[in-house]
Amino acid sequence: MPEAHAATPTNPASFDNAIKQYRPHLIEDVGQALSGVRTLQARVAAKDLQGAKAAWISARAGWERSEVFTGAFVPDFDEKIDAWPNATTGFHAIEARLFGANQTDAEDVTNAIVERLSALDAKVRDITLTPQGLLNGLAQLTYEVGEDKADGGESRISGTSLDDMRNNVAGIENAYNIVFASAIGSADPGLASTTSVEISKLKALLDVKSLNDVNTKALRQATEELVVTLQDVAPKIGLARPVLGPSP
Amino acid sequence: MPARSLSLAAVGLAMVLVFQRAFAFPVDGRQTTLPVGTELNEDAIDRPREVFRSEATGGRKSYLVDLGDMAFNASDILGGAARQAGISCGSCHVNGASNPKLFIPGMSSKPGTFDTSGPLFNPNANDFVRDAVRIPSLRGARYMAPYGNNGRTASLRDFIRNVIVVEFSGPEPSTAILDALVAYIQDIDFLPNPSLGPGGKLNTQSSVAERRGEALFNKPFPHDPTLSCATCHVPSGGFVDHMVHDVDTGGLFKTPTLLNADFNAPYFHDGRFDNYGQVVSHFDREFDLGLSDRDKSDLVAYLTAVGDGVQATEREGAAASLREISDFASVLAAAIPAHDNEAISLAVDTIGAELRDVTEHIPDLRDTTVSGGEKERNLARMALKEVVLILRRLGIDAAAGKYDDAASDYMTYNRFMTAAVPTIVLKAEAWSLFNPPIHDAHYAALHQLLSSINQSHP
């Protein structure tokens, strides 16, 4: 009975290979964040404002792509690296100095973030990555992308909130494709194609000139629909319904 | 309350004030939907208290009133930049009252005013005149026809439609939504004022100054005995005469009510006066009334007594927010069996936005201005997100014509929202922005962060 066979939940253990393939991408994203802040450290020391700004943006891209992982597995790192709103620590404190005040006096806070990201860089190499945690991270981050940005969003001082969202979705797409797409494709091709369509929809909604042009209502709806789909997907691949927060 | 910047030049300067929408206003930075310096006062902890005629007279709000209240707070019924920025009728008319702090650069001449024919929300209706008018309170609006500051529209329904379609670029509203908005606005009552007795007369507990003010208010003007203040502000008629007059402010404008007016500053059609003292002085000059200083202060005392209202504001707490959400959600009980997809979709989006707003009031762990309650905050945020997703699932099911599934989603929603979610949210409230010290610390940090912009652009 092929139908019954198709409906059999995938054993979570069968994600081992997928996760093995995913880890290098995660290492690369965190690596980009780390090398970005190291460059930033050098540019800040050289009082090179333009170079420092470019390095900050590059570091952010890697960081935002890795948020599927950080939000679900290392929320304490997330908190220290990406504090909001706080004028003293993390990316946004540096952003305020570079993009707000147009000053490079951000040595201490940059040194601190280099230290944190170095620790994270070491951690991603051997931390246990569970499929459930990654599914939780996907759902959490997707939901967050739909949050209101009418106030300019989190990276409003540099005007890069839209980039944050795009990098988030790139991270979502990458994690989904590498870790889950094939398992869902075998378990329920219909749901697999729904998920892919919904991810593409997110990308399309963010493919606009500036944050002002994002259709916020459609984006919120699309992110919530994707999370609802992920809730439906979970039991088909032997996982629990994704949790939208740090595991209790 | 945290201070907010009220103009481009003042961005970053702290000023003490009051939406939110779960949105961390003030607007600042780059790539923002609304102009930098926009103040919607959405994070106000104290909000105008809303009194419903139906409830005040021992009944309850109708389905139409709940639907209208929800539509009133839905940016979806508007279009253009308003929808994009999450602005709704309720952004300007908070809980059906006014919003004295609202300021949108390019659209407002001062806080509490708004240019309905300005460039931002419907460029096609832009008349290229900076003619911002004060945002009126809608309390008692059912007595206040004709509508508009110049009384240009006889029907409240026509007026509302014009606001939606012309002023805010919204799609043509359905008959059902317009009916609901009219029903809601007509159910917004004045706050009770125990100082006033029958016929709008001061009652016996009034002070001597207030009584002298009342006499002056009714006394014929020295140079035109056919007129007194009371000729236009008819005490027995809600302190209006339903007419427009030229009182040398640049044209014909409708007599505004004085009821609850203590909470409606700034005054006059363009909000030019900030207090009753200025208003009285204007009329003194304009009609050559020859008022002494004591006369003026007596009139101010009288106006203050007439304009009073019981408990004008209430503290916005998690419980009050969840109660409002529950009123909105009651719409679904009728809309799902009626297969009314318009109302269902409006409910899913609007209640979802409100739930997200409550979520944003509970800081996540990255908000280092808050310490403690980590577990409670996480749980509350997770619970609220779950409910948003139940509603979204309901919306998906209804849109697919699966009304039985939608009805079952609604039962799940109710099961969560009846007890479990409110309990979890209330447990986190001490560490939330509903708690004034946490609120102030959060916004102080935000202001400090944004103040960096001012350092480079003095």
Side-chain angles (χ1 to χ4, degrees), chain A residues 221, chain B residues 341 344 393-403 406:
Chain A
Q221 180 169 345
Chain B
N341 277 15
I344 294 171
R393 185 179 289 278
L394 189 161
I396 295 169
D397 286 337
K402 299 188 209 159
Y403 296 103

Coordinates of all heavy atoms in Angstrom, one line a residue, chain A residues 221, chain B residues 341 344 393-403 406:
Chain A
Q221 N 0.6 38.6 6.3 CA -0.3 37.4 6.0 C 0.6 36.3 5.5 O 0.4 35.1 5.9 CB -1.3 37.9 5.0 CG -2.2 36.7 4.6 CD -3.4 37.2 3.8 OE1 -3.7 38.4 3.7 NE2 -4.1 36.2 3.1
Chain B
N341 N -17.2 36.6 4.6 CA -15.7 36.6 4.5 C -15.1 38.0 4.7 O -13.9 38.1 5.1 CB -15.3 36.0 3.1 CG -15.2 34.5 3.2 OD1 -15.8 33.9 4.1 ND2 -14.6 33.8 2.3
I344 N -14.9 38.3 8.4 CA -13.9 37.3 8.9 C -12.5 37.8 8.6 O -11.6 37.8 9.5 CB -14.1 35.9 8.3 CG1 -15.5 35.4 8.7 CG2 -13.0 35.0 8.7 CD1 -15.9 34.1 8.0
R393 N -5.1 30.6 10.7 CA -5.6 29.4 10.2 C -7.1 29.5 9.9 O -7.6 29.0 8.9 CB -5.3 28.2 11.2 CG -5.7 26.9 10.8 CD -5.3 25.8 11.8 NE -3.9 25.6 12.0 CZ -3.2 24.8 11.2 NH1 -3.8 24.1 10.2 NH2 -1.9 24.6 11.4
L394 N -7.8 30.2 10.8 CA -9.2 30.4 10.7 C -9.5 31.2 9.4 O -10.4 30.8 8.6 CB -9.7 31.2 11.9 CG -11.2 31.4 12.1 CD1 -11.4 31.8 13.6 CD2 -11.8 32.5 11.2
G395 N -8.6 32.2 9.1 CA -8.8 33.0 7.9 C -8.6 32.1 6.7 O -9.3 32.3 5.7
I396 N -7.5 31.3 6.7 CA -7.2 30.4 5.6 C -8.4 29.5 5.3 O -8.9 29.3 4.2 CB -5.9 29.6 5.8 CG1 -4.7 30.5 5.9 CG2 -5.7 28.6 4.7 CD1 -3.5 29.9 6.5
D397 N -8.9 28.9 6.4 CA -10.1 27.9 6.2 C -11.3 28.7 5.7 O -12.0 28.1 4.8 CB -10.4 27.3 7.6 CG -9.3 26.2 8.0 OD1 -8.7 25.7 7.0 OD2 -9.2 25.9 9.2
A398 N -11.6 29.8 6.2 CA -12.8 30.5 5.7 C -12.6 31.0 4.3 O -13.6 30.8 3.5 CB -13.1 31.8 6.6
A399 N -11.4 31.4 3.9 CA -11.2 31.9 2.6 C -11.4 30.7 1.6 O -11.7 30.9 0.4 CB -9.8 32.5 2.4
A400 N -11.1 29.5 2.1 CA -11.2 28.3 1.2 C -12.6 27.7 1.3 O -12.9 26.6 0.8 CB -10.2 27.2 1.7
G401 N -13.5 28.4 2.0 CA -14.9 28.0 2.1 C -15.1 26.9 3.1 O -16.2 26.3 3.2
K402 N -14.1 26.6 3.9 CA -14.2 25.5 4.9 C -14.7 26.2 6.2 O -14.0 26.3 7.2 CB -12.9 24.8 5.1 CG -12.3 24.2 3.9 CD -11.1 23.4 4.3 CE -10.1 23.2 3.2 NZ -8.7 22.9 3.7
Y403 N -16.0 26.5 6.2 CA -16.6 27.2 7.4 C -16.7 26.3 8.6 O -16.6 26.8 9.8 CB -17.9 27.9 7.0 CG -17.7 28.9 5.9 CD1 -18.1 28.6 4.6 CD2 -17.2 30.1 6.2 CE1 -17.9 29.6 3.6 CE2 -17.0 31.1 5.2 CZ -17.3 30.8 3.9 OH -17.2 31.7 3.0
A406 N -13.3 26.5 10.1 CA -13.2 27.9 10.6 C -13.9 28.0 12.0 O -13.4 28.6 13.0 CB -13.7 28.9 9.7

